[in-house]
Amino acid sequence: MNDVVTYVLDGEIAVVTVNNPPVNALSQAVRQGLLDAIRRAAGDGSKAVLILCEGRTFIAGADIREFGKPHAEPFLPDLLNEIEACDKIVVAALHGTALGGGFETALSSHYRIALASAKVGLPEVKLGLLPGAGGTQRVPRFAGVEAALELMLSGTPIPAGRAHELGLVDRVVESDLEEEARRFTQELIDSGAQPRRVSELEVEAVDNAVFDAARAMVAKRARGQNAPLRIIECVRTAMTMPFDQSIRRERELFEESMRDPQSAALRHAFFAEREAAKVVGLDKGTPLRDVKSIGVIGGGTMGGGIAMSFANAGIPVTLIEINDEALERGLAIIERNYAGSVKRGKLSEEKAAECRGRITGATDYAALAGVDLVIEAVFEDPELKKQIFAKLDAVCKPGAILATNTSYQDVDAIAAATSRPEDVLGMHFFSPAHIMKLLEVVRAENTADDVLATVMALSKKIRKVAVVSGVCYGFIGNRMLQGYFREAQLCLVEGGSPESVDKAMFDWGMAMGPISVGDLAGLDVGYKARQALPEDERGDPAAYRVPDVLVEMGRLGQKSGKGFYNYDPETRRPSPDAEVQAVIEKEAAALGIERREIGADEIVDRLIFALANEGFRILEEGIAQRPGDIDIVYLYGYGFPAWRGGPMHYAEAVGLDKVLARIVEFRDRFGEENWTPAPLLEELVGEGKSLTEWSIRKHL
Ligand code: 3H9
């Protein structure tokens, strides 16, 4: 047929094989090859067509790289209609992950056989799209409305066995897919089976309440997103209209979602996540060090979570604490976390016991002599960290990787406490470390390439999304956060309330408002850090007076039952407190601030553009490798809504010139100390260039 689709007539079966690495995506060439194959089969002596894929997977979807470019024929829906209309039986043989347009190709075939290890799914919602080649119409015809909604609204693939139960797959085999698929096809031919066209089936009607419940679930779990609502409409249409009309509606809504900026943002996030794994200037063939066992120093919340991340991935962990009592406390927290996972149904009891069994405790650093990697996770005291690294230098074997989980400290200075700075780097986990996906990998001045490459590969194994950061105060995420929190506090004293600031950000899409985040983290953390500084180094008092007064009143945040909000001891639900509002107003008066009405738009722009402005500096300084890396940090570490793409993508989507104009406006209103536009932003606007163009040029 062509380079990516081959056609071999084997007895009565036309075997059509797709070979388009890495994931057999439906590029124009694949669509054309499949169309040619179906047409050829219609005219030759074959009695059935068998569609197979080479490589690691059946077709994993439309080619996302083609999205946003002009459509190239043949269009997938037309191709799939032609496959379904074929007079000869069409069988699809599935292995790996049959996703999106790939699964839709299988659904338009007349029969499906799958390896037991295969998964099928319609993950389009994760890209802000809907299955646009008949998926929303064909799945409910087989599996019913509820299962179809679940599959498409979650976007989570299901195992072949479950797909079989739902009627989406006809036969599941343990091994030898190709051979079994030929046998299955021959059986169908021999039994006189006819093409079975799903579009001719009816959708079993369900009560409207099913759709209402789906909408309510979406409002909660996919707040602010458009694609899930379009999916619900498509499935409802499948139930109420004839196939040829409802598939047209699917097409319209698919086109609408392709034009939706939410989809552009989610597609950006998909590629940015994969790009982040690649380290600029690091040779692909860099040899990796073996990491078969690790050590963690510090059994607090962070150290315990880190230990669990490795134990869950099958890697034995030695947890070090200063004495037996602290060690027991640390191990007990881990125990409780595992019990919690079992209770929530996330882990089976056996699996939890197996993982827990991989963590052993010790109080002597000598226990670390044989481990391949040590992660230090003690509290943020630079001197203590240096002492620990000097000790590690003495006890660890040559070639062991030495990592610090510091959130702010200078990794170069920590590395300098050892005689082997090339083995040292930062591994900044986010709390709770066994759950949060983000890992900032801090490349220090002397970090060896193989150390960095090993840790990047290891992060995949422990199912983290790793982003490389250079050394600076707070690295990528926490450095940017300073301006975000500063503006939240300033909006508060200038006229807002904890609820108005939180609501503006929550409604915009953040997982949590900034004031609530402060209460969750504990207001005493920032307080103590400020107390350690001379007064003239603490920054603008307007940005910290209110939380400092609250701490002095014993309002430390959630942990003391009250902070900016009061917390119900049972439910932890926050409620406003007039006492706090009185503090805000009193402090504003003391600072000479005349309070005014502050709208949600101003709050959002001040907080998000403060983030982005710092992001431009981080790029210019080379702390982050590329804009997408910053976005990934925010999506996976800070509750930034994925459908807005991250702070840098958002700035680009708004328009860099508009972002700059707003920052200049803030500078003129609030002063240049907080609002000096980043030089890179000014440069790009001056040249009329986009951040994407800058990034491409930089990496050429
Ligand atoms: C769709 O189908 C719309 C239709 O309903 C309607 C159309 C009209 N296209 O993730 P990995 C690349 S929407 C292009 O690291 P894994 C990926 O960028 C689509 N490229 O591997 C990476 O490239 P690189 C619905 C793709 O083993 C490489 O393949 N389908 C695509 O961890 C390896 O990827 C989806 O949403 C693609 N569709 O996971 C499925 N997929 O090496 C999206 C992957 O240059 N894909 N690439 O960085 C996935 O979920 C995972 O990639 C998969 C493999 C599970 C398949």
Side-chain angles (χ1 to χ4, degrees):
M1 293 286 98
N2 58 25
D3 286 350
V4 289
V5 181
T6 56
Y7 185 101
V8 174
L9 189 56
D10 179 13
E12 296 177 315
I13 306 174
V15 180
V16 176
T17 308
V18 179
N19 186 8
N20 184 29
V23 297
N24 289 316
L26 285 157
S27 62
Q28 190 279 335
V30 172
R31 299 196 301 274
Q32 188 64 55
L34 284 171
L35 187 66
D36 293 346
I38 284 293
R39 288 182 178 167
R40 177 161 163 190
D44 67 13
S46 62
K47 291 203 171 145
V49 181
L50 172 60
I51 303 176
L52 288 166
C53 286
E54 289 280 1
R56 67 202 223 210
T57 181
F58 189 75
I59 301 164
D63 190 335
I64 309 172
R65 287 175 207 277
E66 285 184 357
F67 290 176
K69 300 189 181 140
H71 288 321
E73 289 189 19
F75 301 144
L76 188 61
D78 300 337
L79 164 66
L80 300 196
N81 287 341
E82 204 158 324
I83 291 178
E84 194 186 72
C86 182
D87 285 334
K88 295 179 179 172
I89 325 168
V90 183
V91 178
L94 318 179
H95 73 289
T97 44
L99 301 178
F103 187 42
E104 289 173 303
T105 304
L107 289 169
S108 68
S109 305
H110 306 133
Y111 298 90
R112 284 152 295 280
I113 176 170
L115 264 188
S117 58
K119 286 190 170 176
V120 304
L122 294 167
E124 285 85 345
V125 72
K126 295 187 177 167
L127 299 169
L129 299 172
L130 53 93
T136 67
Q137 305 301 304
R138 290 192 173 95
V139 175
R141 286 178 155 75
F142 273 129
V145 166
E146 281 168 271
L149 285 172
E150 167 62 28
L151 189 72
M152 289 185 269
L153 293 177
S154 71
T156 309
I158 54 172
R162 174 73 185 133
H164 184 246
E165 282 165 21
L166 290 171
L168 295 165
V169 163
D170 301 290
R171 182 173 293 182
V172 178
V173 294
E174 290 300 324
S175 59
D176 304 316
L177 179 67
E178 190 172 337
E179 205 185 306
E180 293 283 357
R182 281 172 200 260
R183 188 174 307 144
F184 178 52
T185 310
Q186 195 61 53
E187 275 172 37
L188 290 167
I189 296 171
D190 296 345
S191 66
Q194 293 301 305
R196 195 182 45 167
R197 300 186 178 96
V198 191
S199 60
E200 290 168 3
L201 302 175
E202 293 279 313
V203 177
E204 203 173 304
V206 297
D207 201 80
N208 260 338
V210 170
F211 296 101
D212 293 342
R215 275 186 216 99
M217 190 274 289
V218 165
K220 229 167 127 188
R221 281 205 240 145
R223 188 165 50 91
Q225 296 190 40
N226 299 328
L229 298 174
R230 295 192 182 110
I231 289 174
I232 295 172
E233 183 180 339
C234 285
V235 176
R236 213 182 124 59
T237 310
M239 194 180 88
T240 51
M241 280 189 192
F243 185 84
D244 57 339
Q245 281 176 38
S246 57
I247 198 139
R248 272 207 299 279
R249 185 68 187 134
E250 179 195 81
R251 190 74 208 151
E252 280 166 18
L253 288 171
F254 179 78
E255 292 298 339
E256 203 175 294
S257 55
M258 281 291 265
R259 289 190 300 269
D260 192 328
Q262 292 193 355
S263 175
L266 287 159
R267 281 182 268 135
H268 159 76
F270 177 86
F271 288 116
E273 180 179 336
R274 281 149 185 84
E275 193 75 13
K278 295 167 192 154
V279 184
V280 178
L282 202 68
D283 195 59
K284 257 194 163 175
T286 306
L288 303 183
R289 296 191 190 180
D290 238 4
V291 179
K292 292 214 174 74
S293 62
I294 74 145
V296 173
I297 302 180
T301 316
M302 206 61 192
I306 295 172
M308 287 175 72
S309 300
F310 284 88
N312 295 351
I315 300 172
V317 182
T318 305
L319 185 71
I320 300 279
E321 257 298 354
I322 38 169
N323 54 38
D324 288 338
E325 201 190 332
L327 185 61
E328 257 163 49
R329 223 180 10 244
L331 292 173
I333 297 175
I334 291 174
E335 202 80 58
R336 262 206 311 278
N337 283 342
Y338 275 122
S341 302
V342 172
K343 208 165 150 200
R344 286 194 309 276
K346 299 265 177 217
L347 274 183
S348 70
E349 206 141 324
E350 301 77 68
K351 181 92 185 137
E354 198 182 305
C355 296
R356 165 67 190 86
R358 294 195 187 102
I359 304 173
T360 45
T363 52
D364 187 347
Y365 275 51
L368 299 177
V371 302
D372 303 307
L373 160 71
V374 182
I375 302 167
E376 163 277 311
V378 304
F379 56 90
E380 295 285 3
D381 175 344
E383 285 318 308
L384 177 63
K385 286 185 194 274
K386 283 182 203 158
Q387 281 167 24
I388 289 174
F389 273 75
K391 268 205 223 169
L392 290 176
D393 194 17
V395 299
C396 291
K397 66 182 182 189
I401 299 173
L402 310 179
T404 170
N405 174 54
T406 180
S407 311
Y408 293 98
Q409 310 293 334
D410 180 348
V411 183
D412 289 325
I414 294 172
T418 72
S419 64
R420 36 174 142 170
E422 65 281 6
D423 293 340
V424 178
L425 83 178
M427 288 176 78
H428 180 214
F429 289 82
F430 289 71
S431 190
H434 59 298
I435 293 172
M436 295 290 283
K437 299 270 285 178
L438 181 64
L439 176 65
E440 276 181 326
V441 176
V442 185
R443 182 184 205 170
E445 199 187 339
N446 294 309
T447 306
D449 282 356
D450 65 338
V451 168
L452 185 62
T454 301
V455 169
M456 292 304 281
L458 190 62
S459 65
K460 252 199 162 167
K461 208 164 169 189
I462 60 168
R463 307 177 79 168
K464 300 290 176 204
V465 177
V467 173
V468 176
S469 170
V471 176
C472 67
Y473 185 78
F475 315 123
I476 298 172
N478 284 345
R479 168 169 162 183
M480 286 168 67
L481 206 58
Q482 291 178 61
Y484 178 85
F485 278 140
R486 177 197 71 224
E487 290 305 314
Q489 289 300 323
L490 293 177
C491 287
L492 204 61
V493 283
E494 285 171 30
S497 64
E499 306 91 276
S500 72
V501 174
D502 275 350
K503 184 172 181 330
M505 299 317 295
F506 182 81
D507 288 351
W508 186 79
M510 295 301 287
M512 220 176 174
I515 307 295
S516 294
V517 170
D519 268 2
L520 182 66
L523 303 179
D524 53 328
V525 180
Y527 180 81
K528 279 188 203 138
R530 280 188 292 277
Q531 292 298 311
L533 294 172
E535 204 152 329
D536 59 341
E537 284 179 29
R538 294 181 196 167
D540 180 359
Y544 65 78
R545 270 305 295 159
V546 173
D548 278 7
V549 172
L550 294 180
V551 169
E552 283 159 12
M553 290 165 75
R555 304 187 70 114
L556 308 185
Q558 280 205 24
K559 60 179 153 193
S560 69
K562 49 190 184 172
F564 276 100
Y565 297 94
N566 293 345
Y567 293 90
D568 184 295
E570 299 276 298
T571 61
R572 289 215 202 156
R573 191 165 297 147
S575 56
D577 187 338
E579 180 180 77
V580 172
Q581 198 58 28
V583 169
I584 295 168
E585 286 168 22
K586 185 166 162 239
E587 289 307 316
L591 290 156
I593 294 168
E594 202 169 310
R595 283 171 58 81
R596 63 189 165 88
E597 193 78 20
I598 298 192
D601 285 354
E602 180 182 333
I603 296 172
V604 168
D605 285 358
R606 284 174 67 174
L607 271 67
I608 300 296
F609 294 159
L611 273 184
N613 200 33
E614 195 62 27
F616 282 102
R617 291 206 172 87
I618 281 177
L619 282 171
E620 198 165 26
E621 291 169 24
I623 296 293
Q625 304 189 93
R626 32 181 112 76
D629 283 18
I630 297 181
D631 290 332
I632 291 302
V633 165
Y634 266 79
L635 300 188
Y636 284 109
Y638 295 86
F640 201 97
W643 52 272
R644 293 208 189 261
M648 306 320 285
H649 175 87
Y650 178 72
E652 187 123 279
V654 168
L656 298 188
D657 52 341
K658 293 199 181 74
V659 174
L660 177 61
R662 193 77 162 136
I663 290 176
V664 167
E665 180 201 324
F666 291 150
R667 180 191 62 196
D668 296 345
R669 280 169 66 192
F670 308 120
E672 59 185 20
E673 179 154 347
N674 293 340
W675 288 107
T676 300
L680 176 60
L681 173 60
E682 286 185 312
E683 180 192 317
L684 291 175
V685 173
E687 290 175 0
K689 292 238 157 58
S690 70
L691 202 42
T692 314
E693 283 169 304
W694 174 83
S695 189
I696 293 170
R697 195 177 56 195
K698 185 166 169 257
H699 291 124
L700 275 183

